[in-house]
Amino acid sequence: MSPSTSTRRRQADRSKATQQDVILAAIRIISEKGPEAASMQEIAREAGVTPGAIQHHFQSKATLMMHVLTTLVDENIEAGKFWPPVDMPIDTRAQTLVSNLWTLFYKQPRFISAWATYLSCRNQPVLLAHISEQRKVLQMRLHATFPTIFPELANDPALTAFINLVFSTLRGLGLLEMFAAAHEGTQEQLDCLADLIAQRCYSQNSP
């Protein structure tokens, strides 16, 4: 490797590290203080860089927010360990899926961050288009994997609607996490959702 190539690689690594620091700083601020607190100055202070450095790496706040949303979605997708083994008993499989999805995906403050970011940029068409595309990718992955975990539902004519119901319920509970009083009864609702999945599987297999 030539000295110039080595230098370029080190610069690229430093640039990537700085971008990641800025993205994570933005996520922390949004999680802890809300999207309105995520000014370029505050993000720069949290990341330990100058506002000019953020502009250099992201060009605009809108561009930075697009990277924030992509990071949030990608991290949740990569937490693929929430899919339980298909050879588990149906009840255990349903309970495990709901528990893992809740713990790794919907309960975390980062889920609230993603929605807070979405709401804060609803008047920015470019960002909304980006969010729509990211949600489409995520939805396709979830819909493709669900019937492989619950093959009992493979021939269910209303499978798409049922999967949407499961994830809509989890999203709703995730949003309610913003309100302290709403935490009461969450586990009972998650148990009911797991029972609903299991019963759906049993009903599809009944003679």
Side-chain angles (χ1 to χ4, degrees):
M1 183 184 301
S2 68
S4 59
T5 300
S6 178
T7 300
R8 286 196 299 270
R9 177 167 296 180
R10 287 197 300 271
Q11 290 173 341
D13 289 342
R14 284 196 297 269
S15 178
K16 185 176 181 179
T18 299
Q19 291 176 22
Q20 188 66 10
D21 288 343
V22 170
I23 290 169
L24 293 178
I27 290 173
R28 286 196 299 273
I29 292 171
I30 294 169
S31 297
E32 297 168 6
K33 302 177 183 178
E36 66 282 349
S39 66
M40 296 293 263
Q41 291 77 13
E42 187 64 24
I43 294 171
R45 188 179 301 112
E46 177 73 18
V49 299
T50 65
I54 296 181
Q55 290 278 4
H56 171 73
H57 288 290
F58 295 101
Q59 299 179 337
S60 68
K61 184 176 179 181
T63 303
L64 171 57
M65 289 300 104
M66 288 172 64
H67 281 82
V68 167
L69 289 165
T70 298
T71 298
L72 292 169
V73 171
D74 287 347
E75 285 184 355
N76 286 325
I77 290 175
E78 288 168 8
K81 56 186 178 182
F82 55 59
W83 296 113
V86 70
D87 56 356
M88 275 184 171
I90 291 176
D91 293 299
T92 307
R93 208 184 321 151
Q95 284 284 351
T96 300
L97 174 66
V98 170
S99 176
N100 289 351
L101 281 170
W102 177 249
T103 302
L104 296 170
F105 207 118
Y106 293 97
K107 185 180 181 181
Q108 295 186 46
R110 291 187 177 188
F111 174 72
I112 301 300
S113 297
W115 276 94
T117 303
Y118 168 74
L119 293 173
S120 72
C121 67
R122 59 188 179 277
N123 295 322
Q124 301 180 50
V126 174
L127 269 177
L128 288 181
H130 177 77
I131 293 168
S132 176
E133 186 60 31
Q134 290 296 317
R135 289 191 64 198
K136 186 186 301 182
V137 170
L138 176 60
Q139 186 177 42
M140 289 174 60
R141 294 188 185 187
L142 294 175
H143 276 256
T145 307
F146 197 95
T148 68
I149 303 304
F150 296 100
E152 298 86 355
L153 300 177
N155 297 320
D156 186 342
L159 179 58
T160 297
F162 182 70
I163 295 173
N164 285 335
L165 174 64
V166 170
F167 288 104
S168 293
T169 302
L170 289 166
R171 279 195 298 271
L173 290 173
L175 288 172
L176 285 175
E177 285 280 291
M178 290 187 292
F179 307 99
H183 291 193
E184 299 178 6
T186 296
Q187 186 56 54
E188 288 81 359
Q189 293 179 73
L190 292 171
D191 291 341
C192 287
L193 182 61
D195 288 342
L196 181 65
I197 295 172
Q199 291 305 315
R200 187 87 176 188
C201 290
Y202 287 127
S203 67
Q204 292 297 313
N205 280 349
S206 60

